[in-house]
Amino acid sequence: MKKFLFIGLGSIGQRHLRNIKKIYPKSIIYAYRRKNSAPLLDNYNKALSSEIENKFDIKKISNLSNIEKLDIDAGFICSPTSKHCDDASILIKKNIHCFIEKPIDSSVGKAKRLASLALKKKVITMVGFNFKFNPLLLFIKKFLNKKSLGHPLFVESSLGEHVDDFHSYESYKNSYTSIKKLGGGVVLSQIHDLDNLLYLFNDYKLEKFKSFTSKISSLKIDVEDILVSIFKFKKNKNEILCSLNLNFFERPKNRRLKIIFEYGKIEANFKSKEIKIFKKNKFKVKKFKYDRNDIYMKEIKYFLSCIYNKKKVNYPLSLDSSIKTLILSTRLKK
């Protein structure tokens, strides 16, 4: 019988829980919750009338002191960002494998200590950068390797989404994304897009960057709501300038990635799930069909395969990779 522990059952915690139950319907679920504020949600984060504990027959625990006695297969860390490493370290010290939601934490120091602990204990640990399973990003990664349009010269990545649209069941003012001490702010909350750039151009060296963050909207938050930054990547004689723009106040949601090459360009629209490829005066459109939850399911299946097949988590999803992204994100915030 498979056994899993969830620390935090907000929207992302419940998504992973639903997927675990699809994979292992008879699994036993334990939960450690600090707030108990999130209601039962569906795949679209719509609140349902049932109780989450009754729906999934969850066994609530009041502390983690003797968690090793439950013989847990893996723990899912879905608490606020600033709590990630604290919660994960408790489990790793007890030799429990951990899936940590992105980002790994808001503290680089805590993240590095956690990585050392996981290495010492030989515990499988993975950070949930689910875009590594997104068909559009994977297509772009392969497209870059083909070099069919020559070398990339300029990249523009943008994500705008209103923070009040994240969770329909709570005020944005109470969300961890809006609170500094919980690791909120647009840079860490929307860290996927920074991580995507580092993933796509992992064989390039980041030479320099400039960034500007601020809180410019009327949102009642104590964190930054906008980031405007530019990076310079270099490999041998080839240079790429990258622009990254994030905000917490745009409607409707916009997530795009454009790469201009020597002989053309590609434009990815993650909302419409399509990529346009331009070459000379012609272009073609590649459409992708997938459900948003498919990506999360692939992510969880990969993590579980690492556990049960006793194999190492690949670098793009490892603690080392996530720490690299966190280091850069904290520098951008400053």
Side-chain angles (χ1 to χ4, degrees):
M1 183 73 73
K2 307 297 184 185
K3 299 179 181 179
F4 301 98
L5 167 68
F6 283 80
I7 301 181
L9 278 175
S11 61
I12 192 61
Q14 289 192 41
R15 182 178 293 279
H16 294 320
L17 170 57
R18 291 192 299 270
N19 288 337
I20 282 289
K21 276 297 190 179
K22 288 177 182 177
I23 300 170
Y24 298 115
K26 295 182 180 180
S27 59
I28 297 174
I29 304 297
Y30 296 91
Y32 175 65
R33 306 180 73 185
R34 293 185 176 94
K35 291 176 62 178
N36 290 311
S37 59
L40 176 65
L41 304 168
D42 64 13
N43 262 350
Y44 303 97
N45 284 339
K46 181 181 178 181
L48 303 175
S49 57
S50 305
E51 293 292 330
I52 184 171
E53 286 81 8
N54 295 334
K55 172 72 175 179
F56 296 103
D57 192 23
I58 294 173
K59 302 180 185 302
K60 296 175 66 175
I61 57 178
S62 58
N63 64 73
L64 302 171
S65 58
N66 297 312
I67 194 67
E68 69 275 11
K69 294 181 180 180
L70 298 177
D71 194 25
I72 300 292
D73 287 62
F76 287 80
I77 310 300
C78 305
S79 47
T81 299
S82 64
K83 304 289 187 181
H84 283 180
C85 285
D86 293 336
D87 291 336
S89 64
I90 295 174
L91 303 190
I92 292 174
K93 286 176 181 177
K94 297 178 183 293
N95 299 304
I96 298 174
H97 305 301
C98 281
F99 178 97
I100 306 171
E101 248 314 310
K102 63 81 189 169
I104 184 172
D105 203 272
S106 56
S107 165
V108 173
K110 288 199 294 185
K112 288 182 176 180
R113 289 191 292 273
L114 184 75
S116 297
L117 177 64
L119 183 63
K120 178 182 178 181
K121 301 291 284 186
K122 298 181 180 179
V123 169
I124 293 171
T125 312
M126 174 174 153
V127 180
F129 281 104
N130 64 74
F131 265 75
K132 307 285 173 53
F133 299 90
N134 186 294
L136 276 77
L137 194 71
L138 293 174
F139 177 89
I140 295 170
K141 182 69 171 176
K142 291 181 179 179
F143 190 89
L144 285 167
N145 292 334
K146 291 179 181 179
K147 300 180 181 179
S148 57
L149 295 178
H151 294 294
L153 303 173
F154 178 70
V155 181
E156 185 176 72
S157 177
S158 63
L159 168 61
E161 185 176 13
H162 202 286
V163 69
D164 199 26
D165 297 335
F166 289 179
H167 302 147
S168 61
Y169 59 86
E170 68 175 352
S171 168
Y172 74 87
K173 301 173 187 177
N174 301 325
S175 171
Y176 77 93
T177 59
S178 303
I179 303 171
K180 184 177 181 179
K181 69 178 182 179
L182 296 181
V186 73
V187 177
L188 288 179
S189 299
Q190 308 291 36
I191 199 172
H192 276 305
D193 298 78
L194 173 62
D195 188 70
N196 290 346
L197 292 178
L198 297 180
Y199 169 65
L200 291 175
F201 303 105
N202 67 306
D203 54 342
Y204 282 74
K205 179 183 178 182
L206 177 58
E207 279 208 330
K208 62 177 69 174
F209 69 88
K210 291 187 177 182
S211 67
F212 185 83
T213 60
S214 185
K215 194 274 183 182
I216 62 175
S217 72
S218 59
L219 291 167
K220 305 299 182 182
I221 58 179
D222 67 350
V223 291
E224 81 283 350
D225 59 15
I226 189 168
L227 164 75
V228 178
S229 58
I230 191 163
F231 309 91
K232 181 181 179 182
F233 290 100
K234 188 172 183 179
K235 182 174 70 172
N236 300 324
K237 295 182 179 180
N238 300 316
E239 295 183 347
I240 308 173
L241 286 183
C242 295
S243 169
L244 174 64
N245 303 286
L246 309 173
N247 74 69
F248 260 172
F249 45 76
E250 185 173 349
R251 283 184 174 130
K253 179 179 178 180
N254 162 61
R255 181 174 248 143
R256 297 174 184 269
L257 178 65
K258 177 171 68 176
I259 305 177
I260 301 175
F261 298 82
E262 293 176 291
Y263 311 117
K265 68 177 178 178
I266 61 175
E267 295 180 349
N269 186 324
F270 290 91
K271 186 176 181 181
S272 62
K273 302 176 184 177
E274 64 179 28
I275 291 178
K276 293 181 180 179
I277 304 172
F278 299 81
K279 188 173 184 180
K280 295 183 178 179
N281 295 322
K282 299 180 180 179
F283 77 92
K284 59 181 179 180
V285 179
K286 183 172 180 60
K287 296 182 179 293
F288 298 80
K289 292 184 179 180
Y290 63 91
D291 183 81
R292 181 172 178 239
N293 195 61
D294 295 341
I295 298 171
Y296 291 98
M297 182 65 83
K298 289 179 180 178
E299 174 186 50
I300 295 304
K301 285 183 176 180
Y302 173 78
F303 170 63
L304 296 175
S305 73
C306 289
I307 291 176
Y308 297 126
N309 295 318
K310 298 180 179 180
K311 64 180 184 180
K312 186 178 180 181
V313 173
N314 288 335
Y315 175 77
L317 296 160
S318 69
L319 297 188
D320 290 340
S321 176
S322 66
I323 290 172
K324 180 180 178 181
T325 302
L326 178 62
I327 290 172
L328 182 53
S329 69
T330 54
R331 294 173 67 189
L332 294 180
K333 284 173 72 73
K334 294 178 181 178

